[in-house]
Amino acid sequence: LFSLVIFGCIANEGYINRPDEVEQFCIFNRNQNACNYAVGMGSLAFVCCMAFLALDAYFPQISSVKDRKKAVLADVGAS
C-alpha cells in the first residue's frame, strides 16, 4: 500500500513547471534523478510485495524444508 502511495504521489505531483518554462522538472531540488529514484523504488517495492504475497500463498505447498527456509530468509532479508 505504501509503495503505491509513494509511486502515485511522485508520478502525479513530483514534476512541475513554472509558467515561464516549457520543460517540467522534479520538485526535489530540480534533480531529475531524485524523482526517478523515488518512482523506481516505489515500483520495485510494489513488485516485491506482490512476489512475496504470492510466495506466502504458495508456502503451504512447499514440501522441502530447505526451500521453505530459503523462502523465509528471502522474506526476512527483503524486509
Side-chain angles (χ1 to χ4, degrees):
L1 179 65
F2 292 120
S3 63
L4 288 176
V5 170
I6 292 170
F7 176 75
C9 289
I10 300 299
N12 287 331
E13 299 294 328
Y15 301 95
I16 58 172
N17 62 339
R18 293 186 178 162
D20 57 341
E21 295 179 0
V22 177
E23 187 176 325
Q24 291 184 340
F25 60 90
C26 182
I27 61 171
F28 300 119
N29 201 19
R30 298 179 68 112
N31 187 354
Q32 189 69 21
N33 291 329
C35 283
N36 289 340
Y37 179 76
V39 168
M41 285 295 111
S43 302
L44 184 65
F46 179 72
V47 169
C48 286
C49 286
M50 290 297 110
F52 283 120
L53 185 65
L55 182 65
D56 286 342
Y58 181 68
F59 192 76
Q61 282 82 22
I62 300 174
S63 60
S64 173
V65 174
K66 287 184 179 183
D67 291 339
R68 282 182 175 224
K69 181 181 175 183
K70 288 179 186 176
V72 170
L73 288 177
D75 195 5
V76 169
S79 295

